[in-house]
């Protein structure tokens, strides 16, 4: 029996963010992983050493918040999936 993979990412702002299915597949792609090296806050970390937020982390947070929004406004499963994927990919 095959178990679907689920990855849980611990985010300092949003807590646990779960990714599975197509979201996990997209997250594992090179195009997404390269965002780990793109700083969200530019050179701010030179003045504020704790400012190390990346576009990758930002996209995960956007995916999470898009999912919460979709749930709150009652989107159906397909529309919710579209909104979540758009959140995950918006910087790619």
């Amino acid at each position: 029996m095959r178990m679907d993979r689920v990855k849980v990412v611990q985010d300092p702002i949003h807590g646990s963010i779960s990714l599975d299915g197509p979201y996990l597949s997209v997250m594992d792609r090179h195009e997404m992983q390269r965002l780990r090296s793109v700083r969200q806050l530019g050179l701010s970390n030179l003045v504020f050493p704790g400012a190390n937020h990346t576009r990758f982390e930002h996209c995960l947070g956007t995916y999470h918040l898009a999912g919460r929004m979709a749930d709150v406004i009652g989107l159906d499963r397909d529309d919710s999936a579209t909104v979540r994927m758009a959140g995950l990919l918006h910087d790619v």
Side-chain angles (χ1 to χ4, degrees), residues 2-90:
R2 182 175 172 259
M3 298 290 290
D4 287 329
R5 286 186 338 149
V6 175
K7 185 172 275 189
V8 178
V9 178
Q10 296 302 321
D11 184 81
I13 296 170
H14 304 292
S16 298
I17 299 175
S18 296
L19 295 111
D20 62 355
Y23 311 108
L24 187 54
S25 296
V26 166
M27 188 185 79
D28 287 341
R29 300 235 352 133
H30 167 75
E31 295 84 357
M32 192 72 192
Q33 290 297 312
R34 75 171 194 70
L35 296 177
R36 288 180 182 271
S37 64
V38 180
R39 294 177 189 259
Q40 174 75 8
L41 303 173
L43 299 175
S44 298
N45 68 310
L46 298 176
V47 178
F48 304 100
N52 287 314
H53 193 63
T54 67
R55 287 289 192 183
F56 181 80
E57 295 165 325
H58 167 71
C59 286
L60 287 178
T62 304
Y63 157 81
H64 174 71
L65 291 177
R68 288 184 57 193
M69 179 209 59
D71 292 343
V72 167
I73 65 173
L75 293 182
D76 65 34
R77 184 177 178 174
D78 289 341
D79 288 342
S80 177
T82 300
V83 168
R84 289 171 201 259
M85 190 62 79
L88 186 60
L89 289 171
H90 81 277

